[in-house]
Amino acid sequence: SSRRKNWGNSNVHCCLYETYPGSCQWTDWETTSQTIDDWCGMEHALEGDVGLLLDLDEGTLSVYKNGRRLGIMKDGLSGEYCWLMSIQGASNSTAVQIKRGYIPGIK
């Protein structure tokens, strides 16, 4: 995809939370290869509820597990943005919901 003005000035094109091992995978606008990063608070999510909070005021994508904030997976985000997650290795049936909501523990 080509970069557009309304996508802001971030160098992040796509950001992915991988349930196992909990890493952040992302690509920039210049290359077709992906970068895989560990991040502070990283945990796998083979069970339980996982939440991703995209905060475009702060330019961050945070990860929650069972209502507990694990940490900021990626920062430096700007403009209109899409994110995704990959479910791998889960032994139970797993589903993903995308919805507007409140930060866990804050209403």
Side-chain angles (χ1 to χ4, degrees):
S1 171
S2 62
R3 186 180 193 123
R4 299 173 192 262
K5 184 179 178 181
N6 58 332
W7 287 342
N9 59 5
S10 175
N11 71 329
V12 179
H13 173 251
C14 178
C15 191
L16 163 77
Y17 173 69
E18 190 171 20
T19 56
Y20 186 82
S23 59
C24 172
Q25 297 184 27
W26 63 278
T27 61
D28 63 23
W29 291 97
E30 305 300 324
T31 64
T32 56
S33 62
Q34 63 185 348
T35 300
I36 301 174
D37 291 332
D38 291 346
W39 48 277
C40 186
M42 183 176 107
E43 287 184 18
H44 73 77
L46 295 179
E47 71 283 329
D49 294 329
V50 175
L52 300 179
L53 175 66
L54 179 61
D55 183 336
L56 289 176
D57 292 329
E58 296 296 322
T60 60
L61 182 61
S62 299
V63 179
Y64 290 78
K65 182 178 174 183
N66 297 323
R68 178 176 55 93
R69 184 177 181 269
L70 299 180
I72 295 173
M73 182 178 78
K74 191 68 181 155
D75 59 8
L77 308 176
S78 69
E80 296 176 2
Y81 196 72
C82 292
W83 51 265
L84 62 127
M85 72 181 282
S86 168
I87 301 171
Q88 297 179 352
S91 58
N92 301 325
S93 60
T94 306
V96 174
Q97 288 184 347
I98 298 174
K99 60 183 181 178
R100 284 184 187 251
Y102 296 99
I103 298 170
I106 299 176
K107 292 203 179 195

